[in-house]
Amino acid sequence: MQTVRQRLTLDGTPESLIQSIEAVLFASKDIAFRLRQGALGGVLGCAEQENVQGETQKNLDVLSNDLLKNALAACPSVAGIASEEEDLPVAANASGEYLVLFDPLDGSSNIDVNVSVGTIFSILPANGGDPSKEATYLQAGKEQLSAGYVLYGPSTLLIMSTGKGVHVFTLAPETGEFILTRENIQIPETTQEFAINMSNQRFWAEPMQNYVADLLKGEEGPMGKRYNMRWVASMVAEVHRILTRGGIFMYPWDKREPNKAGKLRLMYEGNPMSMLIEQAGGISSDSKAPMMDIQPELIHQRVPVILGSKAEVETAIKYHQ
Ligand code: P6P
């Protein structure tokens, strides 16, 4: 029955990095509690304000963001934070070694319909940079020291990596400890399951339209097998399914807002999920290049996403070449 600290210590993880991860988990336990309260907690519904993305914030978005900010600011190892819900980065501790970037409550549009949501986090080295400056955070995904998500579902799970495989921890309600329940996840190389929001089909670029059309042809088409489809509209739930049983997840560019590269954000959705997927033997791409090779230009930069089972993602990329 290994705790997160025990497992990370076994892996030789620096104490300061363990503390930073524990700060995320400290906040996530409170978030899990508020979610479980549901309507009884008086925090469902909208906060009547918008975030930098122009999205209406849910009360729980704001509350989760504050819980994470406070927990991380109190951790001496954390130099600064960046959040989907914050316009600018926030400096924390001058002596800190790490930058923690997060989406406090991904999929929050699902809260009011009681569907799984999650906290996504990415940890980068501060490298002595000014943590109040955006430029300090603009590091490629391959620089991440750790990444993970807390999935608030039927059970509350932590899935994370520090570059030595992907491990699953289950929150034990009785003790409040995340306990190791699965280690060294490996994604099946092939799949018969894809995840995309089909309602946007007419807006996709032609390569994506051609690829998905071939998936839908099933046995009679070039793929030579029948596919199933899933779309939860909560990236953490889709990625968790893919880590658990394989699959391919896509949120491509589309012409509804042609000036935006995609809907999802590189720094605190694309990159942390890509670290997990690749540590588990999968592939993650923006359709042209490996996601974690992208040199970021803006903290809230958006990116097209294709990730999942290695062979399937390679096939999807071929349609874009
Ligand atoms: P759509 C949730 O809002 C999110 O950012 C991801 O978690 C999810 O995969 C996607 O957007 C869902 O987008 O357009 O299907 O609602």
Side-chain angles (χ1 to χ4, degrees), residues 106-107 197 231 233-235 249 251 263-265 269:
D106 180 69
N197 183 336
W231 189 249
S234 184
M235 188 185 193
F249 169 87
Y251 210 111
K263 175 175 187 184
L264 302 179
R265 293 81 169 178
E269 289 173 327

Side-chain angles (χ1 to χ4, degrees), residues 150-229:
V150 179
L151 176 57
Y152 309 106
S155 55
T156 298
L157 302 180
L158 164 68
I159 288 75
M160 61 161 292
S161 177
T162 55
K164 297 178 178 170
V166 178
H167 312 308
V168 180
F169 299 82
T170 302
L171 181 61
E174 315 75 37
T175 63
E177 280 283 8
F178 281 96
I179 302 298
L180 181 69
T181 45
R182 192 173 166 205
E183 55 187 347
N184 298 316
I185 284 184
Q186 285 299 304
I187 303 175
E189 185 163 337
T190 62
T191 185
Q192 291 178 242
E193 193 160 68
F194 69 95
I196 194 166
N197 183 336
M198 284 298 291
S199 68
N200 301 324
Q201 190 276 345
R202 65 189 183 282
F203 302 121
W204 302 332
E206 193 175 346
M208 185 55 78
Q209 289 178 330
N210 294 340
Y211 169 61
V212 174
D214 282 348
L215 294 177
L216 293 173
K217 288 173 187 161
E219 306 90 319
E220 292 79 44
M223 309 306 188
K225 56 186 176 179
R226 178 170 301 187
Y227 284 78
N228 185 34
M229 197 199 100

